[in-house]
């Protein structure tokens, strides 16, 4: 398949504007500036692009919620907080092909009438930040950013806002709080950011990968885009594979590729020969894991949802038969309780409780009834938190309990692990 | 408190936002860098004055985000080893133990010569090259015990 | 309007009503932690989750408005189990040290767990501890974070209501802790509102700690005795000792708030220095005596003085006492010489009453704040009337309006203002005049009949603005806003009495606005609990009860002292007023008091004035009597007796009556209720005031107590606004600062000095100047400085204030170690001082 998002990866100097322009870079922007903003939004709608940040919401539709009043300041925010464990695609784009993102953002800004955009990048991504800074500078120099872009009358400024260690800031309203200089705790919705977002102004928040799809859609047309992959979730998708496979890494494939194909045709199979697949997390740790019998599930929004999991960020974590599921669950849960922002009761006080129980079970201090207690606490947290972080913690744990309940019970009963 | 270079940087930061408060994260980061890896009470007071914020708000900001080391000095090389799922699957725990032994400190501690601080962190977004760690601004990937020994030797 | 079903019951409510409010109104209880009607909703505790038909997830009713046609369930098994589970989560990391927790017995967490479960504990993991021991945040606030439920009300009240921003949330997740910067209490107003809103024992009163269990307390619902905001509060005692004052959510105009004075300043009641027996002077010194002996002496000496007697009664007495006091003088003693303040010129008071329109009856702050533009002038609200400041902050945050603050000193409330005007000392009048001139120039033809305008005929606007020291554009902008407003509210404070040259300006602007057909509401902002009552009861040399004309004008306090110095006034009867300290020319006051033939002082303490007395009578505090206070708005509110006066001390009303009876056996009436009856008959303004409807609950926090408001006076005296010329000592190089004075946040009048807690909050005097002045003098906050005036020199700690007018030094009236009045001399205007490093 023709690569779209990762096409420049591995090219020498791929991060520079010279290289980018050499492969037809910024043609999408030039094309876009010839159209009315509304028709750009229509094209993105027609392309069927769904957000790559996790929720899979239609990007064109999101943009269309922005009020059209030209006197109102509007903002575009790029969500580059990439914190979901297992995920590293956005970093890949920003480090290797920053202009692809920048071009996508300028087009998005033009479409929604935003004169300013912020890239909210994870604090740890120092290298990526440097690359982006350099690229933005180049884009200004070439007239792709700043006043009156390419003589179109459209002006746009782009700034980087660095996060500094808080997964919750990937949640879009927490991200806005963070840019405004507050603690990154989610805001209540409504009002939705499209009406009252950054500094109370209409704001669109999109993921890096989502925005990176835009230049292609404009240059090659929505039809071209929607013809890739399944009808309901078209377009290329970057899968971030990690764990027990021979060749972990970023793979750009159409949505709908099966897990089996990904692991065995693209990633060179399992890391340790003789050790088969035990479980796969298909979309970052918030996504419930699937077991070895479900490897033929196509990886797209709807098929995974039908299996009770989700595409999420497209982070595929592969675990072989030697993996202890209690330990896995503990690590994942510990992550969520560490990252809980503290705002709402069930997540703030529930996730550390789960972690403590899992810790006990893992270290051989399980008590009878622990598994049931875990399940009951999951029920008490799920659907009652302020934002989806708490739900994510529960979904992950429930996935493990659903598929590997015996293993948990064994740990409790025998004070030791079944597999190692 | 801030060097001239830092002050110029802060002036640039102010240009990014419609209000000063938004600059607080960048300014805290600059303050932390200026002090060599952590933030002191005086820094927060100075930043509060500079940005017209309450000191408690600057403190709250610094205490929410884990990369700010509030009143917790770190060594010259701050080693942060990822212990999240992908790295763990490929042996991060053993590497952490190995490093504790090599540096002769526990996680969370700093060597007596103030050269190294060892911390564990949650996923750093480099799972495809697990196990990995970050030392100050740089990523070190596809680690093994031998590789770590060499890295530490180069830094010592 | 929206019609919704709640548990099957159909109700119709305003659009935008929160499900929670709709359900509560319909009679269904929904438990909450983080919700508080007058704070911005956060929806974080998740106690209030309800089921909405058609929605998969439970929804937080405290931030979800109703939608027409919704069907809501608040008591399904899922909802009930969600409640129990939230409580279980909160308990998981809760300290559970209820037996030693001050909140035990009135803890919302306890009560909710009792009602909603869980009734079995499942959490058996180690708990995260914020700290081993309670830690002290301030001299009045102590904290135990291990009990926190993270409702964030403390932080929100500190920000949204108090405007102090001292508290913040540090850390995140289950390590999140609400505390101050480095646990210090810098900039804290010490009002303890964080304690009041805390549903658990996380924020606690330090002076109250471990003193009692709440069920052992006996309380009375009363009114705070400090400033004239008139806050409702409950004071509680155990074994005869008052140990707590608290506000009640949704009750009184203050709702859950009080300031430091109100919440912590009650402990003067239990002071060991309280007077408990009459004293008479025997061979030079004051010695205990019986009431008979004391009253006998009073009778003889008052009779001997004849008409040459005067009386000063404090504005902290009740309406009933004040009424009886003036009756004693005007009828039994036949003297017109009475006053209610040692600080103020009676003519200035009359001018103030006229300029603020107090004779027209009461006006509520809430109504005033409904105005399109509200101008605060002559009042340092944030320090002097803190809870009025809270009300203004809350209301102005909730609606878009134009709030203007004119003052020389900056204040906390400035951050809520749309515009602040910094004027020179004693130049509020020029400022108001310049506003008037601006407005006049736009509509001169419609203002031809406003007689006061002639005063400004020949004055140039530039000249006026120049004198204010304000930026001309600011004044023009404010004038424009006022001109464009349909309704204008004023909060005008006692600086107009201190520097009465501004009164004409206030009166004129009011007249001009009225002539333009605008609605004008003026609230006089007063610093003594019953100052308005004192005037309305007629404790003033120039008018009688209800501002009625008097046949013979009497002497005010200063005139009495002058007469005493000349030997013309023989005797004085002073009730709870510390003239020797409060009079703006202290040396003069003391020597005048010493030259009296006979001085009776009735007080709770042996005040400086009492030390000059021949007879001292032990009287009662607000906690020891029933009666009524009239607050600054003209709202009559009742205070209630919690304790008997100590030992042989008596209620002031009984003492005044006993003295009256020595002259006229039928002097009375006998008790407060009968006195009030007489007041209602004698003072038409009070005809509608009855005890029956006082102290009602708020309805939706919007006080609707108009029926307790005093009405307009119908036979008012003529109040002229006299020409005043407040002189400021001419500028001289050696004394660069103009010295101004007023109240401090922790101290006002004589009471606060007797409160160990309040005194503990501020141990020694502070002088305040602008940050810019300090900078140019090479001084910083906290420095010890000398303040040198022509007549006096003192030492104090420097405090700098950002944004205050330069060239002004402020010292509050109430420090024992720096009696600021010693810098003043009668007739010499406002003094100047120099400030140097000590
Ligand atoms: C706890 C949490 C963390 C999230 N982290 C990220 C993130 O790191 N990057 C991201 O793009 N979206 C993240 N999201 C999703 C965003 O809230 C949002 O849906 C997304 O940025 C929208 O962009 P899209 O429409 O382009 O997908 C997160 C959501 C939650 C609830
Ligand atoms: S679920 Fe609640 S505590 Fe957890 S991150 Fe979201 S808002 Fe914060
Ligand atoms: S009261 Fe509704 S969430 Fe707290």
């Amino acid at each position: 398949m023709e690569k779209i998002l990762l096409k420049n990866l591995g090219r020498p100097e791929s991060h520079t504007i010279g290289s980018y322009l050499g492969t037809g870079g910024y043609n999408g922007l030039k094309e876009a500036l010839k159209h009315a903003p509304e028709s750009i939004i229509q094209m993105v709608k027609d392309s069927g692009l769904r957000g790559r940040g996790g929720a899979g919401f239609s990007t064109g539709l999101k943009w269309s919620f922005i009020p059209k009043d030209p006197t109102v300041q509007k903002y575009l925010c790029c969500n580059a907080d990439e914190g979901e464990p297992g995920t590293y695609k956005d970093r890949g784009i920003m480090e290797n092909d920053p202009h692809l993102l920048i071009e996508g953002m300028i087009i998005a800004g033009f479409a929604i009438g935003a004169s300013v955009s912020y890239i909210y990048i994870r604090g740890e991504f120092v290298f990526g930040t440097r690359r982006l800074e350099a690229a933005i500078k180049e884009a200004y120099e070439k007239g792709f950013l700043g006043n009156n872009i390419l003589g179109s009358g459209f002006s746009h400024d782009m700034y980087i806002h660095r996060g500094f260690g808080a997964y919750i800031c990937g949640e879009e309203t927490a991200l806005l709080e963070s840019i405004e200089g507050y603690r990154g705790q989610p805001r209540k919705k409504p009002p939705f950011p499209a009406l009252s977002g950054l500094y109370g102004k209409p704001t669109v928040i999109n993921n890096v990968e989502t925005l990176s799809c835009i230049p292609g859609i404009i240059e090659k047309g929505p039809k071209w885009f929607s013809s890739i992959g399944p009808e309901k979730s078209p377009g290329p998708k970057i899968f971030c594979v990690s764990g027990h496979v021979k060749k972990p890494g970023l793979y750009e494939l159409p949505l709908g590729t099966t897990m089996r194909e990904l692991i065995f045709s693209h990633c060179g199979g399992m890391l340790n020969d003789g050790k088969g697949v035990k479980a796969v997390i298909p979309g970052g740790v918030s996504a419930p894991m699937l077991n070895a019998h479900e490897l033929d599930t196509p990886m797209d929004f709807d098929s995974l949802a039908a299996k009770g999991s989700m595409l999420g960020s497209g982070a595929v974590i592969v675990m072989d038969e030697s993996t202890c599921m209690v330990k896995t669950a503990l690590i994942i849960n510990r992550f969520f309780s560490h990252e809980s922002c503290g705002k709402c009761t069930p997540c703030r006080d529930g996730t550390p409780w789960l972690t403590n129980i899992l810790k006990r079970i893992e270290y051989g201090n399980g008590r009878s009834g622990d598994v049931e207690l875990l399940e009951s606490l999951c029920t008490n947290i799920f659907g009652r938190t302020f934002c989806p972080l708490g739900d994510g913690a529960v979904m992950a744990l429930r996935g493990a309990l659903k598929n590997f309940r015996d293993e948990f019970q064994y740990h409790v009963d025998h004070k030791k692990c079944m597999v190692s | 408190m801030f060097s001239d270079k830092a002050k110029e940087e802060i002036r640039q930061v102010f240009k990014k936002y419609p209000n000063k408060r938004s600059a607080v994260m960048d300014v805290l980061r600059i303050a932390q860098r200026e002090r060599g890896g952590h933030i002191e009470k005086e820094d927060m007071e100075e930043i509060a004055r500079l940005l017209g914020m309450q000191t408690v708000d600057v403190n709250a900001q610094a205490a929410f985000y884990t990369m700010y080391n509030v009143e917790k000095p770190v060594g010259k090389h701050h080693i942060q080893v990822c212990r999240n799922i992908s790295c763990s699957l490929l042996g991060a725990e053993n590497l952490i133990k190995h490093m504790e032994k090599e540096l002769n400190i526990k996680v969370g501690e700093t060597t007596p010569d103030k050269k190294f601080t060892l911390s564990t962190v949650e996923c750093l977004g480099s799972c495809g090259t697990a196990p990995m760690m970050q030392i100050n601004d740089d990523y070190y990937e596809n680690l093994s015990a031998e590789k770590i020994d060499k890295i530490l030797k180069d830094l010592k | 309007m929206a019609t919704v079903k709640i548990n099957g019951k159909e109700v119709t409510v305003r659009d935008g009503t929160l499900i929670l409010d709709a359900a509560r109104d319909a009679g269904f209880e929904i438990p909450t932690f983080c919700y508080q009607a007058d704070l911005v909703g956060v929806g974080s505790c998740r106690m209030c989750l309800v089921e909405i038909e058609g929605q998969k997830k439970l929804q937080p009713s405290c931030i979800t408005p109703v939608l027409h046609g919704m069907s809501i369930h608040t008591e399904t098994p899922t909802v009930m189990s969600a409640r129990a589970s939230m409580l279980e989560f909160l308990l998981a990391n809760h300290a559970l040290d209820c037996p030693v927790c001050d909140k035990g017995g009135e803890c919302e967490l306890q009560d909710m767990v009792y009602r909603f479960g869980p009734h079995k504990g499942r959490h058996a993991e180690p708990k995260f501890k914020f700290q081993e021991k309670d830690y002290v945040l301030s001299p009045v606030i102590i904290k135990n974070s291990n009990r926190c439920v993270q409702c964030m009300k403390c932080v929100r009240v500190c920000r949204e209501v108090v405007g102090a921003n001292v508290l913040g949330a540090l850390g995140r997740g289950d390590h999140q802790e609400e505390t101050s910067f480095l646990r210090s209490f810098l900039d804290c107003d010490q009002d303890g509102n964080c304690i009041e809103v805390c549903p658990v024992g996380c924020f606690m009163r330090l002076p109250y700690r471990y003193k009692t269990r709440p069920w052992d307390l006996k309380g009375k619902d009363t009114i705070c005795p400090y400033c004239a905001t008139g806050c409702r509060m409950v004071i509680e005692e155990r074994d005869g000792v008052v140990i707590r004052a608290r506000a009640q959510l949704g009750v009184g105009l203050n709702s859950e708030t009080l300031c430091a004075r109100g919440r912590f300043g009650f402990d003067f009641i239990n002071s060991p220095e309280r007077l408990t027996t009459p004293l008479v002077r025997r061979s030079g010194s004051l010695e205990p005596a019986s009431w008979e002996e004391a009253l006998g002496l009073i009778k003889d000496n008052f009779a001997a003085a004849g008409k040459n007697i005067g009386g000063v009664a404090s504005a902290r007495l009740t309406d009933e006492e004040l009424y009886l006091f003036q009756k004693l003088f005007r009828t039994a003693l036949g003297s017109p010489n009475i006053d209610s303040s040692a600080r103020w010129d009676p003519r200035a008071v009359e001018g103030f009453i006229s300029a603020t329109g107090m004779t027209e009856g009461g006006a509520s702050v809430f109504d005033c704040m409904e105005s399109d533009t509200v101008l605060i002038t002559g009042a340092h609200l944030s320090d002097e009337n803190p809870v009025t400041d809270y009300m203004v902050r809350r209301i102005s945050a909730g609606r878009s309006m134009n709030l203007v603050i004119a003052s020389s000193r900056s204040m906390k409330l400035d951050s809520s203002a749309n515009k602040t005007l910094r004027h020179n000392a004693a130049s509020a009048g020029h400022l108001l005049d310049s506003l008037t001139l601006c407005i006049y120039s736009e509509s001169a033809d419609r203002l031809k009949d406003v007689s006061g305008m002639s005063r400004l005929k020949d004055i140039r606007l530039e000249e006026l603005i120049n004198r204010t020291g304000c930026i001309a554009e600011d004044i023009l902008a404010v004038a424009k806003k006022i001109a464009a407003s349909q309704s204008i509210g004023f909060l005008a404070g006692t600086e107009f009495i201190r520097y009465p040259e501004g009164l004409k300006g206030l009166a004129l602007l009011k007249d001009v606005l009225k002539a333009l057909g605008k609605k004008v509401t003026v609230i006089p902002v007063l610093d003594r609990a019953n100052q308005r009552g004192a005037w309305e009861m007629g404790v003033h040399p120039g008018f009688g009860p209800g501002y009625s004309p008097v046949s013979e004008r009497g002497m005010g306090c200063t005139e009495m002292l002058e007469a005493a110095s000349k030997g013309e006034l023989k005797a004085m009867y002073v009730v709870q007023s510390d003239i020797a300290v409060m009079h703006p020319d202290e040396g003069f006051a003391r020597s005048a008091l010493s030259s009296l033939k006979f001085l009776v002082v009735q007080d709770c303490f042996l005040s400086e004035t009492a030390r000059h007395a021949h007879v001292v009578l032990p009287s009662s505090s607000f906690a020891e009597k029933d009666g009524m206070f009239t607050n600054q708005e003209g709202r009559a509110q009742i205070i209630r007796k919690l304790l008997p006066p100590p030992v042989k001390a008596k209620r002031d009303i009984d003492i005044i009556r006993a003295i009256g009876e020595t002259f006229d056996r039928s002097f009375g009436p006998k008790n407060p209720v009968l006195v009030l009856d007489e007041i209602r008959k004698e003072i038409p303004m009070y005809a509608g005031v009855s005890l029956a409807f006082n102290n009602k609950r708020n309805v939706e926090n919007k006080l609707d107590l108009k029926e307790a408001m005093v009405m307009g006076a119908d036979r008012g005296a003529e109040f002229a606004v006299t020409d005043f010329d407040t002189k400021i000592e001419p500028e001289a190089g050696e004394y660069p600062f103009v010295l101004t004075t007023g109240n401090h946040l922790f101290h006002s009048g004589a009471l606060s000095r007797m409160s160990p807690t309040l005194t503990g909050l501020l141990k020694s005097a502070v002088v305040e100047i602008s940050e810019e002045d300090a900078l140019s003098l090479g001084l910083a906050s906290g420095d010890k400085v000398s303040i040198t005036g022509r007549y006096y020199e003192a030492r104090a700690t420097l405090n700098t204030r950002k944004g205050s007018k330069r060239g002004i030094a402020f010292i509050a009236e109430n420090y024992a170690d720096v009696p600021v009045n010693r810098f003043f001399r009668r007739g010499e205007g406002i003094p100047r001082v120099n400030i140097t490093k000590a």
Side-chain angles (χ1 to χ4, degrees), chain A residues 86 88 91 118 122 124 130 160-161 164-165 178-179 181-184 199 242 244 248 327-328 331 334, chain B residues 16-17 21-22 25 29 61 64-68 83 85-86 88-89 93 123 125-128 134 137:
Chain A
Y88 52 100
R91 183 169 73 96
Y118 294 97
R122 261 191 92 160
E124 290 90 340
R130 287 192 193 129
I160 296 178
H161 184 99
F164 229 60
S178 185
I179 296 182
Y182 293 88
R183 303 163 77 237
Y199 306 112
S242 65
H244 294 141
K327 184 172 163 194
T328 302
I331 289 174
R334 187 183 60 199
Chain B
K16 299 201 295 190
Y17 307 103
R21 183 172 181 133
S22 288
M25 292 186 71
R29 174 174 54 76
Q61 201 63 11
F64 187 84
Y65 299 94
T66 53
M67 287 170 64
Y68 299 114
R83 60 166 187 174
I85 183 75
S86 308
S88 161
L89 287 172
E93 278 92 350
C123 182
S126 192
C127 318
Q134 184 176 19
D137 286 350

Side-chain angles (χ1 to χ4, degrees), chain C residues 230-342:
Chain C
C231 294
R232 274 281 287 286
M233 63 184 198
V234 173
I235 49 170
E236 293 163 308
E237 61 93 16
R238 180 180 171 166
D239 303 331
V241 180
V242 183
I243 39 186
R244 183 164 76 169
R246 62 182 167 85
Q248 303 147 275
L249 181 66
V251 177
L253 34 78
N254 51 313
S255 190
E256 81 281 18
T257 63
L258 288 172
C259 76
R261 292 188 298 242
R263 196 182 307 280
F264 300 109
F266 57 80
D267 52 352
F268 71 87
I269 300 168
N270 305 120
S271 166
E273 291 175 45
R274 281 290 296 274
L275 293 172
T276 55
T277 177
L279 307 170
V280 301
R281 193 167 291 280
R282 293 198 190 96
S283 51
S285 64
L286 287 168
E287 284 170 15
S290 69
W291 275 101
E292 290 70 33
E293 184 186 354
L295 286 172
L297 277 171
I298 291 171
K299 179 179 181 179
D300 296 348
N301 284 285
F302 278 10
K307 273 195 74 177
N308 295 323
I309 186 168
V312 178
S314 158
R316 286 199 312 270
L317 301 185
T318 64
D319 286 333
E320 293 82 349
E321 291 161 345
L322 290 158
Y323 175 81
L324 217 55
F325 180 81
Q326 64 83 32
K327 189 173 172 187
L328 172 76
F329 273 83
R330 293 202 167 109
T331 63
L333 300 175
S335 161
N337 308 323
I338 50 169
D339 207 343
S340 63
S341 169

Side-chain angles (χ1 to χ4, degrees), chain A residues 50-57 59 62 79-84 89-90 167-173 205-208 210-211 387-389:
Chain A
R50 293 170 69 175
R52 306 301 198 224
F57 192 80
T59 305
K62 192 189 265 189
N79 191 341
D81 195 44
E82 193 160 67
E84 182 81 15
K89 63 189 174 72
D90 298 341
Y167 165 70
I168 186 62
C169 289
E171 195 284 330
E172 55 186 18
T173 58
I205 300 120
N206 273 134
N207 170 260
V208 172
T210 313
L211 289 163
C387 86
L389 185 143

Side-chain angles (χ1 to χ4, degrees), chain A residues 360-376:
Chain A
R360 269 201 293 103
I361 301 178
E362 166 70 8
Y363 297 139
N365 299 314
R367 302 186 195 122
S368 75
D370 270 351
V371 178
E372 292 75 15
L373 181 56
L374 287 174
E375 283 168 337
S376 161

Side-chain angles (χ1 to χ4, degrees), chain A residues 224-291:
Chain A
W224 161 81
F225 190 88
S226 59
S227 68
I228 306 168
E231 198 189 324
K232 288 217 171 117
S233 9
K237 172 80 192 98
I238 305 176
F239 294 98
C240 323
V241 188
S242 65
H244 294 141
V245 291
K246 281 223 164 61
K247 290 190 294 177
L250 298 177
Y251 293 90
E252 178 180 342
L253 299 164
L255 282 167
T257 308
T258 68
M259 258 185 252
R260 187 181 303 284
E261 198 188 332
L262 180 66
I263 298 171
F264 293 98
S265 332
H266 297 281
C267 297
M270 294 302 283
L271 179 65
N272 303 307
D273 297 323
K275 290 231 169 83
V277 177
K278 181 165 182 179
V280 181
I281 295 175
V285 296
S286 306
M289 57 176 67
L290 300 178
N291 60 35

Side-chain angles (χ1 to χ4, degrees), chain C residues 439-672:
Chain C
I439 294 165
Y440 178 81
S441 64
E442 298 286 299
S443 348
D445 47 322
R446 293 168 62 196
L447 296 168
K448 283 197 285 286
D449 297 338
V450 180
S451 59
M453 273 319 297
S454 59
R455 185 169 57 83
L456 300 183
K457 211 169 61 236
D458 302 321
I459 300 181
R460 280 177 48 240
L461 181 61
E462 296 73 41
E463 166 63 18
L464 270 179
I465 293 181
N466 217 1
R467 280 199 245 166
T468 65
C470 295
I471 300 166
E473 289 81 66
D474 288 351
I475 290 187
L476 299 181
V478 169
K480 221 175 178 164
K481 280 275 191 189
I482 292 180
S485 303
Q486 282 311 303
S487 51
I488 293 100
F490 288 88
L491 288 150
T494 50
E495 271 178 32
F496 283 103
I497 316 182
R498 243 177 255 277
Y499 314 123
E501 94 295 335
L503 284 168
K504 287 219 150 152
L506 182 60
L508 180 59
L509 180 54
K510 197 182 72 175
D511 288 348
V512 162
L513 295 174
K514 280 190 171 164
L516 290 173
K518 300 182 192 293
K519 182 169 177 257
V520 180
T521 314
V522 189
I523 306 291
V525 180
L526 302 170
D527 60 356
R528 297 288 189 265
N530 202 21
Q531 184 63 69
R532 183 166 185 149
W535 292 334
E536 293 184 344
M537 293 305 117
V539 183
H540 188 279
F543 55 82
Y547 304 113
S548 58
V550 284
S551 49
E552 180 193 355
R553 189 175 178 94
M555 292 188 262
C557 184
T558 301
E559 293 164 291
M560 291 183 225
L561 294 175
E562 274 164 354
S565 309
K566 290 187 222 142
E568 291 163 8
L569 192 81
K570 306 287 184 219
M572 274 183 86
Y573 175 30
V574 178
V575 184
Q576 301 222 17
S577 181
D578 200 354
I579 297 172
V581 172
M582 284 300 156
H583 194 275
D585 187 341
E586 190 185 322
F588 155 74
R590 282 177 189 261
S591 88
L593 288 169
S594 330
S595 41
L596 281 166
K597 273 240 153 45
F598 188 66
L599 172 63
V600 179
V601 175
Q602 171 175 324
D603 209 319
C604 295
F605 297 95
L606 193 64
S607 63
E608 288 302 313
T609 309
R611 289 177 202 279
H612 294 80
H614 303 89
V615 174
V616 178
L617 305 173
S619 73
S620 47
S621 75
F622 79 109
E624 292 144 7
K625 53 196 178 194
D626 292 312
M628 202 163 70
F629 283 164
T630 308
N631 83 344
Q632 58 197 16
E633 306 163 85
R635 201 185 290 278
Q637 310 190 94
I638 58 174
I639 65 165
R640 291 197 177 83
K641 178 178 164 203
L642 177 67
L643 293 167
V647 200
K648 285 203 220 155
K650 284 188 198 288
R651 294 188 299 178
D652 295 271
I653 198 164
D654 294 329
I655 307 174
I656 297 167
R657 185 172 38 81
I659 295 176
E661 283 172 350
T662 63
F663 289 88
D664 167 6
R665 291 230 128 260
S666 66
F667 186 81
K670 290 238 176 294
N671 65 46

Side-chain angles (χ1 to χ4, degrees), chain A residues 168 171 184-186 336 339-349 351 381 384-391, chain C residues 44 46 173:
Chain A
I168 186 62
E171 195 284 330
Q185 291 189 328
F336 284 113
E339 297 299 337
S340 167
C341 80
K343 182 165 183 146
C344 73
T345 306
C347 170
R348 178 190 64 240
D349 290 331
T351 50
I381 298 172
R384 295 170 183 178
T385 54
F386 190 91
C387 86
L389 185 143
D391 285 349
Chain C
S44 65
R46 318 306 277 180

